[in-house]
Amino acid sequence: MQATTTTPLFAAELTPNRSLSTRGAWILFALVAALFAAPGLLFLSMGAFPVTVLMGLTALAIVAGLFIGLRQGKRRERITVWAEQIEWQVTDSAGQTTLRRFDPRMVRLVLGRDDYEKTTAVQLRAAEQTHELGSFLSSEDKSSFAKALGTALRRARS
């Protein structure tokens, strides 16, 4: 990758909103295990082995759901607008990184809106390809991001 000495016109790193931290998730895992272990051991001592197995499977399903939900928090998108190019770096939940570059003069910013004029999608259209930016953002975040990105694109084209 080429080193640049100029400052970008616009740079943003988009991440999903996570209200549960990693520490909070471990506390929640422990709480789920304790809440399922106490009655599970009681049913096991009474000889209700199928009930205990089903409670264990339910606890594992809850923990797996929390784990998958936390993996989504690893997603990131970094958008940098330079005078001569736009860089869009996407990191998915597995950690795979993809970098795409666009010419600011050849790309168009397309906003999707609902019936109430709220922003539902922020897309870059280059040639015949359309790329959605920040699909995990809330409607308000998409709106403010689109406004800042649009301003930067206008500055890059001039």
Side-chain angles (χ1 to χ4, degrees), residues 20-37 59-71:
L20 185 63
S21 67
T22 306
R23 181 173 179 253
W26 282 109
I27 291 171
L28 189 59
F29 291 156
L31 183 63
V32 166
L35 289 175
F36 276 91
L60 286 176
I62 290 171
V63 168
L66 288 171
F67 179 74
I68 290 170
L70 284 175
R71 279 190 62 191

Side-chain angles (χ1 to χ4, degrees), residues 61-125:
I62 290 171
V63 168
L66 288 171
F67 179 74
I68 290 170
L70 284 175
R71 279 190 62 191
Q72 294 299 322
K74 293 181 181 179
R75 293 178 58 192
R76 302 212 179 300
E77 292 184 16
R78 180 175 294 145
I79 295 95
T80 309
V81 178
W82 306 89
E84 64 279 349
Q85 73 178 356
I86 300 168
E87 292 181 353
W88 179 43
Q89 182 179 6
V90 179
T91 305
D92 62 8
S93 59
Q96 297 287 338
T97 301
T98 306
L99 178 65
R100 291 189 175 103
R101 291 192 171 111
F102 305 99
D103 182 5
R105 291 163 193 84
M106 303 302 288
V107 74
R108 295 290 168 242
L109 181 65
V110 179
L111 301 180
R113 298 196 185 266
D114 63 4
D115 293 337
Y116 302 105
E117 291 299 316
K118 290 191 175 189
T119 305
T120 58
V122 178
Q123 300 173 341
L124 283 181
R125 184 178 295 157

